[in-house]
Amino acid sequence: MSLSWEDIGPKAQARLLDSIPSKWRVPDDKLPPSSQLDVTSFPAKSGLLSDHELAITDALASDIVAQIASGTWKAVDVTTAFCKRAAIAHQLTKCLTVTMFDDAIAQAKQLDRHFAETGKTVGPLHGLPISLKDNFNITGKTSCVGFTAWAEEPMQVESTIVGMLRDLGAVAYVKTNVPTAMMIAESVNNTFGRTVNPLNRNLTSGGSSGGESALIAMHGSPLGIGTDIGGSLRIPSAMTGIWTIRPSYGRFPHFDARSGMGGQEAVGSVHGPMARSVKDLRLFCEHISNAGPWLKDPKCIEMPWRSVTLPEKLKIAVMWDDGIVTPTPPVKRALKEVVEKLKGKGYEIVEWGPEGHQKALELIAKFFVADGGKSVGKILEVTGEPWRPEMKYYEDAKEIGVYDLWQLQKERTALSKMYLDRWAASGGVDAILLPTTPYASVKHGDFKYIGYTGVYNVLDYSAVSFPTGLFADEKVDVSPKDHKALSEFDEAANKDYDAAAVHGIPISLQLVGRRLQEEKMLDLAERVAKDLD
């Protein structure tokens, strides 16, 4: 007799917890109390990690590979340290879906043997533990992407990116939580539950790559791989103040990752790295690009990593709001302060209005439910799993015909041409600076607007979300009493804003470039971050 959807979730969660060795589990009486909202300091105080393991897990990915390549650190010690810290992070935030600790440690030992015998690494990512969003397939492991129907179905073929990372020397050791179908901006589902923000457990870590966001913020991963179809890399990264890049479609291999909406290609899903520094993003991007992904993924573009030279004086176009939702006070303040600092550093700053943004959001909303929600609905039906309330829009959608879909795609192309021409006429704008989201973070269930990210999925532009070094301040970031809502979304954002709830949360912004400008955007974001420091 098959299990009901209500039984599958608890069983999956128990199986996951049982996969954590008992010696890495925190006794209930040693866990932080629910009243302790920021749990990022707990791993160092837990007594489960040695000083060496703490040093390893606090290191950046680029420094880790250097330490292993020099023979200073062993891959097995690095992998074990991150397995332990990921286990701790999960017990505090519910960030994981799959652990592969034994396999990872065995692979790390093999890498150490190779290094001892040859004096060489197997590749530029030799010994680097890398966490993977749940939808990347690993043979023999599940990729349920939140669905109870897929929670006990081991995958038969691995995703291309998994094999490429292994060939470069990386060690996959965990997979991370996502929302149902990966189509909610918070990471919550009926299988593994809700992932919380380790900086404040009353707040969301975002979605759909929210498990990655929480894990990396806990230093439980030095580098994670997430995906983005409407902001799913940038939104969670902004919620915890880490770095990410949303690449243009075709830059990195992605065709065989699992999806709850397979075949939806009007807006292309992409994957990209998430990390605590821009140089760690570059570490991934450069080596994957140079490994020939176009020979493995039929949709990848033949484009090795390129060197770029930035102009001495950068021209940045600032978009204060998108005409639909006003940024909440912390984000609005951060944008103003960043612009003033950049002006002081000699940047040329110009204004950029939101022309076309309303149209882009109308299009992305229609594309996502063009099938009338059938793709998601058919998966839910297998176990009788109900629609989550966050997916009411999908549940109520009506299928459109092929003709109507083609008309929408024509509109998308016309919009892309308009934006392209507008940029070409801008007099040499290097990037657009704008909020990643209108929020610093939000309470669980309150993330309701993806407009600042979704526009650039429709346009397929390269975008980097970066921490500004500024933090929400309840004494400073007060809602104006005379706020005039631009839309219903704006009214909701203003109503839900709670200055005390987000106090101390890091504030992120995004820098957007044109299509396939990943190299330029990483270099540009690195310079901006340096000039803000």
Side-chain angles (χ1 to χ4, degrees):
M1 179 175 161
S2 59
L3 293 173
S4 68
W5 73 270
E6 295 101 327
D7 296 326
I8 292 172
K11 181 180 179 182
Q13 292 179 43
R15 183 171 61 240
L16 175 59
L17 193 59
D18 287 345
S19 74
I20 296 175
S22 58
K23 60 185 177 182
W24 296 351
R25 293 189 210 172
V26 183
D28 289 343
D29 63 342
K30 300 295 184 182
L31 286 169
S34 58
S35 59
Q36 182 179 332
L37 302 181
D38 185 343
V39 292
T40 53
S41 63
F42 179 79
K45 302 174 182 177
S46 67
L48 296 176
L49 297 167
S50 68
D51 288 343
H52 183 48
E53 288 171 331
L54 288 171
I56 287 171
T57 52
D58 284 340
L60 297 176
S62 45
D63 295 330
I64 290 170
V65 293
Q67 293 279 50
I68 295 175
S70 69
T72 304
W73 289 351
K74 291 186 179 299
V76 68
D77 294 335
V78 171
T79 297
T80 301
F82 277 104
C83 288
K84 291 172 70 173
R85 192 148 184 165
I88 297 168
H90 176 71
Q91 294 169 78
L92 301 175
T93 66
K94 291 185 122 178
C95 56
L96 304 182
T97 58
V98 173
T99 67
M100 302 166 282
F101 297 148
D102 290 344
D103 291 344
I105 291 171
Q107 182 190 348
K109 289 179 178 178
Q110 178 59 39
L111 290 170
D112 284 336
R113 284 194 291 271
H114 174 89
F115 186 81
E117 293 169 0
T118 68
K120 298 179 180 178
T121 61
V122 302
L125 302 183
H126 182 105
L128 179 67
I130 289 186
S131 52
L132 300 167
K133 188 173 179 174
D134 188 66
N135 65 318
F136 293 108
N137 302 328
I138 293 179
T139 305
K141 306 298 181 182
T142 61
S143 294
C144 82
V145 295
F147 292 110
T148 57
W150 290 351
E152 299 185 350
E153 178 190 333
M155 304 308 296
Q156 301 302 310
V157 180
E158 72 178 11
S159 296
T160 297
I161 186 61
V162 174
M164 291 188 69
L165 287 168
R166 184 175 57 249
D167 291 344
L168 292 169
V171 180
Y173 66 113
V174 290
K175 299 215 300 176
T176 55
N177 201 27
V178 300
T180 304
M182 302 181 294
M183 298 305 291
I184 305 171
E186 302 183 36
S187 292
V188 58
N189 61 69
N190 293 326
T191 305
F192 290 103
R194 182 184 293 277
T195 300
V196 299
N197 190 328
L199 302 174
N200 182 329
R201 292 190 287 178
N202 283 341
L203 306 178
T204 184
S205 62
S208 61
S209 308
E212 285 296 330
S213 171
L215 180 64
I216 294 167
M218 286 290 291
H219 294 202
S221 170
L223 181 67
I225 314 302
T227 65
D228 197 311
I229 197 172
S232 292
L233 284 164
R234 290 160 289 162
I235 289 169
S237 293
M239 297 298 96
T240 59
I242 64 174
W243 285 80
T244 194
I245 181 170
R246 184 264 174 210
S248 292
Y249 188 78
R251 199 69 205 266
F252 304 135
H254 189 65
F255 81 105
D256 53 1
R258 200 167 203 187
S259 170
M261 292 168 54
Q264 188 293 117
E265 298 185 5
V267 180
S269 180
V270 299
H271 83 248
M274 303 167 70
R276 289 185 286 115
S277 77
V278 65
K279 66 178 182 178
D280 290 348
L281 302 185
R282 190 182 291 110
L283 178 75
F284 171 88
C285 294
E286 179 176 352
H287 292 305
I288 289 296
S289 296
N290 288 340
W294 54 88
L295 299 175
K296 302 175 184 293
D297 183 334
K299 295 187 177 183
C300 267
I301 299 167
E302 185 171 352
M303 185 179 289
W305 197 250
R306 303 160 294 180
S307 62
V308 296
T309 302
L310 295 176
E312 186 173 337
K313 182 171 184 175
L314 290 169
K315 184 174 183 178
I316 305 295
V318 59
M319 191 172 80
W320 299 107
D321 67 68
D322 69 351
I324 304 168
V325 174
T326 305
T328 55
V331 180
K332 191 172 184 178
R333 172 174 60 85
L335 186 56
K336 287 182 178 179
E337 290 189 23
V338 166
V339 166
E340 289 306 310
K341 286 183 181 180
L342 295 182
K343 284 181 179 178
K345 292 288 186 176
Y347 289 64
E348 181 182 356
I349 303 293
V350 297
E351 304 277 324
W352 189 270
E355 288 84 357
H357 283 233
Q358 177 74 51
K359 183 63 176 180
L361 295 182
E362 292 172 0
L363 287 171
I364 198 171
K366 291 176 181 177
F367 284 139
F368 285 169
V369 296
D371 71 339
K374 284 185 177 180
S375 296
V376 174
K378 286 183 180 296
I379 303 168
L380 294 173
E381 288 173 2
V382 174
T383 58
E385 179 181 350
W387 289 87
R388 286 201 58 88
E390 301 92 341
M391 299 196 75
K392 181 68 173 172
Y393 179 65
Y394 293 80
E395 182 181 8
D396 293 344
K398 304 298 181 185
E399 185 176 6
I400 66 173
V402 173
Y403 174 82
D404 290 331
L405 177 60
W406 288 0
Q407 303 318 299
L408 293 177
Q409 292 178 162
K410 284 172 60 179
E411 293 179 39
R412 178 201 60 201
T413 301
L415 175 67
S416 299
K417 172 60 173 168
M418 181 276 287
Y419 220 89
L420 179 67
D421 290 346
R422 184 182 172 202
W423 199 309
S426 68
V429 162
D430 292 296
I432 304 169
L433 174 68
L434 71 160
T436 305
T437 86
Y439 325 105
S441 185
V442 294
K443 296 176 184 177
H444 301 303
D446 282 350
F447 204 111
K448 299 169 183 174
Y449 186 70
I450 65 162
Y452 284 91
T453 51
V455 168
Y456 296 107
N457 292 86
V458 175
L459 297 171
D460 194 29
Y461 282 9
S462 310
V464 173
S465 181
F466 68 99
T468 61
L470 301 170
F471 300 84
D473 187 330
E474 63 181 320
K475 294 181 179 179
V476 176
D477 301 321
V478 180
S479 290
K481 294 181 179 180
D482 59 348
H483 177 76
K484 295 181 180 179
L486 300 173
S487 66
E488 291 183 6
F489 286 117
D490 195 16
E491 186 176 354
N494 185 62
K495 179 182 177 182
D496 293 339
Y497 173 66
D498 185 335
V502 299
H503 179 74
I505 293 296
I507 309 168
S508 290
L509 300 173
Q510 65 177 329
L511 285 158
V512 177
R514 287 182 282 187
R515 288 188 68 244
L516 300 169
Q517 288 193 332
E518 288 74 33
E519 295 90 344
K520 179 178 181 179
M521 294 316 300
L522 287 181
D523 286 1
L524 190 151
E526 186 172 39
R527 185 192 289 186
V528 166
K530 182 179 179 181
D531 287 336
L532 293 177
D533 191 3

